[in-house]
Amino acid sequence: MNNRKLTKPVRVGNITIGAGARIPVQSMCNTKTGDVGKTAEQIAKLEAAGCDIVRLAVPDKAAADAFGTLRQKTNLPLVADIHFDYRLALICAAGGADKIRINPGNIGKSDNVRQVAEACRAHHIPIRIGVNMGSIDAESEKKYGRTPLAMVESAFYHIGLLNQYDFDDIVVSLKASDVAKTVEAYRLMSARSGYPLHIGVTEAGTAYMGMIKSAVGIGSLLLSGIGDTIRVSLTADPTEEIKAAKGILRAAGYSDGGVEFVSCPTCGRCGIDLIGIASKVEMALAATDKPIKVAVMGCAVNGPGEAKDADIGIAGGDGCAVLFKKGAIIKKIDEADIVSVLLDEIGDM
Amino acid sequence: MNNRKLTKPVRVGNITIGAGARIPVQSMCNTKTGDVGKTAEQIAKLEAAGCDIVRLAVPDKAAADAFGTLRQKTNLPLVADIHFDYRLALICAAGGADKIRINPGNIGKSDNVRQVAEACRAHHIPIRIGVNMGSIDAESEKKYGRTPLAMVESAFYHIGLLNQYDFDDIVVSLKASDVAKTVEAYRLMSARSGYPLHIGVTEAGTAYMGMIKSAVGIGSLLLSGIGDTIRVSLTADPTEEIKAAKGILRAAGYSDGGVEFVSCPTCGRCGIDLIGIASKVEMALAATDKPIKVAVMGCAVNGPGEAKDADIGIAGGDGCAVLFKKGAIIKKIDEADIVSVLLDEIGDM
């Protein structure tokens, strides 16, 4: 994207967040971190689904100890998610955390903040400050209410606490369950600072509605050049978050390659089973990494023209279809052969 | 939305498009329009799903005649979708069309345009000019390439043809299968004119990826105050388009009321089956039109605070949950009773 805001680079394990780097996709395990077996299994599933960075909840000492064990079992960067207890951050920093999510305003006295900042600096570990609409610091909320501006002010409050100890290796997130407020908070923050932004909509909801809210919010920000790493939050299996995140990145023009698939919504002009054909073709091509555009169109009258920037496609007739490449018709195919002929032709490309 | 662009009002049957009116949701039948029985059945299904305006393909005389018959069978506004043949537009105008989608640059000589403009004026029927990236007029494409600017110039070319006959009762759409280009085209058009805009991403694809592309594109525009009516195009059952459209409107802050549902993505702190509980609660509340916010949160430590603007919610403990209202904890519930107690409490509100 040519309008992407250039932020400061932050290293999380072997991955760069910010400064125009490829946008890594994050998720979070919903297993008990202390259950090392189940958590390792879920991390592996997330990796297979294409997740770049995994976060683990660290609510207590047992989880912090398990975090160190899990760090040895995967190559994916791991983030420790910590609230309130700075000692858990010290354990995870020593245990190889690649990033720590902690809000320094919530961990008590100034010396606790100093210890966390120094441990993270010593181990080259960045900190994500994660302000949610429900966890704005008291003073910012008093001054600005529960607003996007209050979230941004709250982020600067936490940043200031770390800056006191010369720590500035920071990623910021500003999540609300309201999409418009989330987008506004990130826009304000992006205009006022160069910290890389971790974007997402919090408590977005179940797989269907949560995906729509995340697509609207994350997608809007990405289209306007804001966002350095993304997390789709769904009340669903975490691998669903990866699938949705990759879809949102692709929709916003940040794809990693692979097939771009377009298909028309069908209408009264369509004489073939387009819904069935499109599903089969899309599924068959899901794992293909050829950087081509494939079109499955309902009618031969408009199809090849409407999709003339597709590398290859079919357009339906009555019980048949034409195969076209770059808008030029190549040959006619019987309906029963559409899927196999199209996939064969793509295989040969 | 307080930033909504005020466009010119256009009447489609008993519905206003533009001028800040509620945003109507559109879909298109994928039955043969000439098959009156099947098409009437699909219109009824779309109406039941919450569709406000239905479009029908009119590729030939038989479909145009059927359009008039279908007009008598439903109260929903019906739009005739016509390409190339101006005589079909004249038949549909006489047959009671509530809007006609036709591009006057594609219907031949000037006198054809005059006849269509006069018929539409006589019957108070607006015209939607629908420019797609694949159907830019030759001169605009030659000057500006296949770009968002060329789409906008193409729209003004078609508008100019209607304006020659003093016809200006116009809705405009500018769809591409590329989301970023679609959004850019609508932004340009919105900055340069006051015509109400019908927004959507064309050939978005199958139910999953098409929904994400539509959510990113339509959602971004709505968040920035652009868009007067929406159509989600999916290669799927048309009622899926209505479900997705309503989700996008809600995500962008244009909901019609009904329950706002938030739920957290679960993490290692969660000790109950949150995914199952959230799905059950969301489904049970789908048809409720109480304008309340309901939260289903994984942990009692953060849940009630994070969701303190929810009217009611639960937050999980270990095999149990607390019920809270506006952030204040009311009582403890056993895990087995969470769904029923929460739904009962909502029923009493």
Side-chain angles (χ1 to χ4, degrees), chain B residues 40-250:
Chain B
E41 196 182 310
Q42 194 170 59
I43 293 170
K45 275 188 196 160
L46 283 167
E47 184 171 22
C51 183
D52 298 302
I53 299 172
V54 175
R55 182 156 45 116
L56 304 176
V58 180
D60 52 32
K61 171 93 171 42
D65 291 338
F67 186 95
T69 308
L70 285 158
R71 178 57 292 175
Q72 306 303 317
K73 292 180 175 282
T74 175
N75 291 317
L76 279 193
L78 295 184
V79 183
D81 190 87
I82 295 164
H83 295 257
F84 313 122
D85 189 343
Y86 79 102
R87 291 164 303 181
L88 300 175
L90 300 181
I91 298 172
C92 290
D98 299 289
K99 184 167 70 167
I100 290 179
R101 186 244 172 147
I102 195 165
N103 288 355
N106 300 343
I107 60 174
K109 62 184 184 195
S110 189
D111 193 60
N112 300 351
V113 178
R114 181 188 61 75
Q115 288 188 58
V116 170
E118 287 180 359
C120 285
R121 184 170 37 241
H123 295 280
H124 305 288
I125 301 170
I127 290 178
R128 169 158 70 94
I129 290 170
V131 176
N132 283 6
M133 187 61 95
S135 63
I136 298 170
D137 71 281
E139 198 173 319
S140 299
E141 183 162 343
K142 196 173 150 201
K143 267 194 192 160
Y144 304 105
R146 287 165 70 86
T147 61
L149 176 59
M151 291 168 73
V152 169
E153 291 294 336
S154 200
F156 279 115
Y157 158 69
H158 293 296
I159 290 168
L161 292 175
L162 290 176
N163 283 175
Q164 283 184 343
Y165 299 102
D166 283 334
F167 189 92
D168 201 42
D169 197 16
I170 295 170
V171 176
V172 174
S173 68
L174 301 154
K175 302 183 186 179
S177 64
D178 181 280
V179 176
K181 286 176 184 165
T182 302
V183 168
E184 193 186 337
Y186 280 107
R187 284 194 204 286
L188 284 171
M189 191 72 199
S190 177
R192 283 176 56 182
S193 89
Y195 293 106
L197 298 177
H198 164 120
I199 63 176
V201 176
T202 196
E203 296 127 30
T206 52
Y208 188 83
M209 193 59 207
M211 176 166 59
I212 291 183
K213 285 173 79 171
S214 298
V216 172
I218 296 172
S220 296
L221 288 164
L222 290 176
L223 283 180
S224 61
I226 296 171
D228 299 289
T229 179
I230 71 173
R231 194 260 171 120
V232 173
S233 296
L234 299 177
T235 310
D237 186 281
T239 56
E240 286 294 316
E241 300 186 346
I242 305 305
K243 190 178 166 197
K246 292 185 157 266
I248 293 168
L249 284 172
R250 174 175 288 278

Side-chain angles (χ1 to χ4, degrees), chain A residues 36-67:
Chain A
V36 169
K38 277 199 181 159
T39 303
E41 196 182 310
Q42 195 171 60
I43 293 170
K45 274 188 196 160
L46 283 167
E47 184 171 21
C51 183
D52 298 301
I53 298 171
V54 175
R55 182 156 46 115
L56 304 176
V58 180
D60 52 33
K61 172 95 172 40
D65 292 337
F67 186 95

Side-chain angles (χ1 to χ4, degrees), chain A residues 30-31 132 146 177 179 203 205-206 208-209 211 220 234-235 244 247 251 263-266 268-269 282 293 306 308, chain B residues 30-31 81 132 146 177 179 203 205-206 208-209 211 220 234-235 244 247 251 263-266 268 282 293 306 308:
Chain A
N30 61 6
T31 51
N132 284 7
R146 287 165 71 86
S177 64
V179 176
E203 296 128 30
T206 51
Y208 188 85
M209 192 59 206
M211 177 165 57
S220 295
L234 299 177
T235 310
S263 58
C264 81
T266 85
R269 286 187 294 268
E282 191 185 38
K293 182 167 180 175
E306 291 265 330
K308 62 181 170 237
Chain B
N30 61 6
T31 51
D81 190 87
N132 283 6
R146 287 165 70 86
S177 64
V179 176
E203 296 127 30
T206 52
Y208 188 83
M209 193 59 207
M211 176 166 59
S220 296
L234 299 177
T235 310
S263 58
C264 80
T266 86
E282 191 185 38
K293 183 168 179 174
E306 291 265 331
K308 63 182 168 235

